[in-house]
Amino acid sequence: MSTRFPFTAVVGQQDLQLALLLNAVAPNIGGVLVRGEKGTAKSTAVRALAALLPEVEVVAGCRFSCDPASPDPTCPDGPHTGAAAVARDARMVELPVGASEDRLVGALDIERALAEGVKAFEPGLLAAANRGILYVDEVNLLHDHLVDVLLDAAAMGASYVEREGVSVRHAARFLLVGTMNPEEGELRPQLLDRFGLTVEVAASREPDQRVEVVRRRLAYDDDPAGFAARWADEESAVRQRVVAARELLPKVRLGDGALKQIAATCAAFEVDGMRADIVMARTATALAAWDGRSDVLAEDVRQAALLALPHRRRRNPFDAPGLDEDKLDRTLEESAGDDDDPDPDGPGGGGQPSPEEGPQGGDSGAQPEAGEDGEPQPAAGGAGEQAPARAADPFRTKTLTVPGVGAGAAGRRSRARTERGRTTGALRPRGALTKLHLAATVRAAAPHQRARGRSGPGLVLRRDDLRQAAREGREGNLVLFVVDASGSMAARQRMSAVKGAVLSLLLDAYQRRDKVVLVTFRGTAAEVALPPTSSVDAAAARLESLPTGGRTPLAAGLLKAHDVLRVERLRDPSRRALLVVVTDGRATGGPEPVALAGRAARLLGTESVASVVVDCESGPVRLGLAGRLAEELGGTAVTLEELRADAIAGLVRDVRGTTSRRAA
């Protein structure tokens, strides 16, 4: 067994270490989510935590780690009456991002269950993690069906495995620890709320600290056992402190004053539900026990808020996590004492200045004049580029889907053949059977019962009789945004509305678990502002800072989109693409710009790329250029007004691919 890097040897991650240790003292806090850039010792610290946990007593021979003092009466390995107890180290079980559902929850031998009536159950990772740590690296990349299972187990403290009426239940109480890089996408809100605490980590910018990190890592790589031995005393001291804090924890008093501060803090930051209050109370109590105190102080409440609230106060996926510490201090100060001066500072109490209106820099309200081709002329000293306009408020958009049935990664946008969803038929299993189609299996076995010598009530089954259930659910798509940032879009109110629409579509992509690409075009060329990613936060940030100005190289934008799609089809051929072009349809600059744009659109259309054009043309007179572009792409066009889910025009719009267009 390899020697792990010592927990106490991690440099400069005090908040991360504290959050993990508090969960070691009080596992009912609910785990830790560690967010941060790559290379910041997230995984190293988590893997080192298991060595600091006290030993656990389990029933000898129980695969589900039942507690001898109160064994699970429904344990598949039970009953445990009078069973011997053994002590072992606490386990840390890692859940791979690409694991199957059967690997997580366990699997039933369906063939034996039907033929012999025997519950032959092979435990999964949830059983192995019971009364230990379940660690998910890159938890934000976990498939939705696994997230659903984790949510159920975390809520009920048990795992249920059901296959066509045959079911098994076992205890699954674990400390959930996840690490993630926000650049690779955010976490589902339901799972995010299940983590008790969250910590943001980043690499130190202090040269001396960085030198020490490198020195320790090189020493560990040269001699892992020797390096661990040098830190053995520190590791033992922390382990003993964890044991002492656990023993003190039931004696810690959480007074009414601390409870009032907790409630006032959660109310001030407008967190949803009551889980935040409960987690803060448990965390503050654990902090007091960790410091060897029997009373919770205001400093414990403050530290608990910094750990328990940042991931719960986010209002949408584009808000940066974190707390306003000045507001936190004011709230704690006002809620301390006996309410002598009940004078709230107004909603939120944040003291935020009102946002500036109008253009950044220059005279307020000034607009560039249009030239002969209708495009704004360059501002003085701006070389055709204008300051970025602020995005309008996002709204709920209509559902845009790719036609047909795919087989891509699980998501919530387009129809697809998936492991979860409604049953649509049966087929012969390829590999291990995961979802039995009972009726089809019985139909396949029934004609052969006489030949197989059936004499009892049970069916005589063969492997060839088994049928897999074919299911249909939803997949996530590659949503490629091609955004016109030319001068024809540069009127501030117009570009603000366009950015608000794209931001709304990004929010929809986040909720539907899509990958996104952002291509922009203006001046003389197009660029990939954001390569394919699951992080819509990054796309929103690029969109917010997007400048406008210059001519409209529409063909360049479409050809750049074609290049991106060609590469992505090689990387992930099962993920289908949805092209969203945001433009007024104009094409200027270079020789024959309109004809060139038409050829680029038809190139995409011949490759059956599902597409939609968001028509940004405004004013009483409209040329309908975006509609013509949509026809050449083989897709459909919607106006900014029609894009809203609550718009009067039409119901949900499906994006029609080239095949359906030409069939019409």
Side-chain angles (χ1 to χ4, degrees), residues 531-542:
T533 177
S534 297
S535 176
V536 294
D537 284 10
R542 299 289 174 88

Side-chain angles (χ1 to χ4, degrees), residues 458-478:
L459 284 174
V460 179
L461 288 178
R462 299 288 185 267
R463 177 69 185 174
D464 289 344
D465 299 331
L466 299 179
R467 295 295 183 268
Q468 176 87 17
R471 295 174 180 262
E472 184 177 297
R474 294 281 169 176
E475 67 178 358
N477 297 117
L478 175 70

Side-chain angles (χ1 to χ4, degrees), residues 152-314:
D152 290 341
M156 298 183 293
S159 175
Y160 293 85
V161 184
E162 298 193 11
R163 295 290 187 272
E164 302 296 342
V166 182
S167 62
V168 171
R169 175 204 174 278
H170 66 82
R173 293 181 175 86
F174 48 83
L175 173 60
L176 182 61
V177 180
T179 56
M180 60 174 282
N181 183 349
E183 294 178 355
E184 296 173 340
E186 280 297 339
L187 201 60
R188 277 179 58 180
Q190 296 94 327
L191 184 57
L192 187 66
D193 189 52
R194 284 293 172 187
F195 286 98
L197 310 180
T198 186
V199 179
E200 294 281 335
V201 296
S204 172
R205 299 298 183 258
E206 294 293 329
D208 291 342
Q209 198 169 78
R210 296 175 74 96
V211 166
E212 185 60 24
V213 170
V214 175
R215 182 181 290 118
R216 292 187 187 183
R217 186 70 213 190
L218 293 177
Y220 170 77
D221 291 341
D222 289 341
D223 183 11
F227 183 82
R230 290 195 292 275
W231 288 89
D233 291 343
E234 287 81 356
E235 293 281 288
S236 177
V238 172
R239 190 179 302 109
Q240 293 173 9
R241 189 174 175 184
V242 170
V243 173
R246 281 191 173 188
E247 294 175 352
L248 179 60
L249 188 64
K251 305 173 186 176
V252 175
R253 189 181 71 89
L254 182 65
D256 290 344
L259 280 172
K260 183 182 292 185
Q261 287 183 314
I262 290 171
T265 302
C266 291
F269 285 98
E270 301 179 356
V271 297
D272 295 328
M274 294 298 298
R275 183 173 283 120
D277 302 65
I278 296 170
V279 171
M280 271 190 67
R282 290 171 176 168
T283 305
T285 304
L287 281 162
W290 178 248
D291 285 341
R293 291 182 276 103
S294 57
D295 286 299
V296 174
L297 305 180
E299 63 194 58
D300 300 323
V301 176
R302 185 183 192 279
Q303 183 64 55
L306 293 174
L307 293 172
L309 297 188
H311 62 302
R312 291 188 166 89
R313 65 168 297 273
R314 298 182 65 185

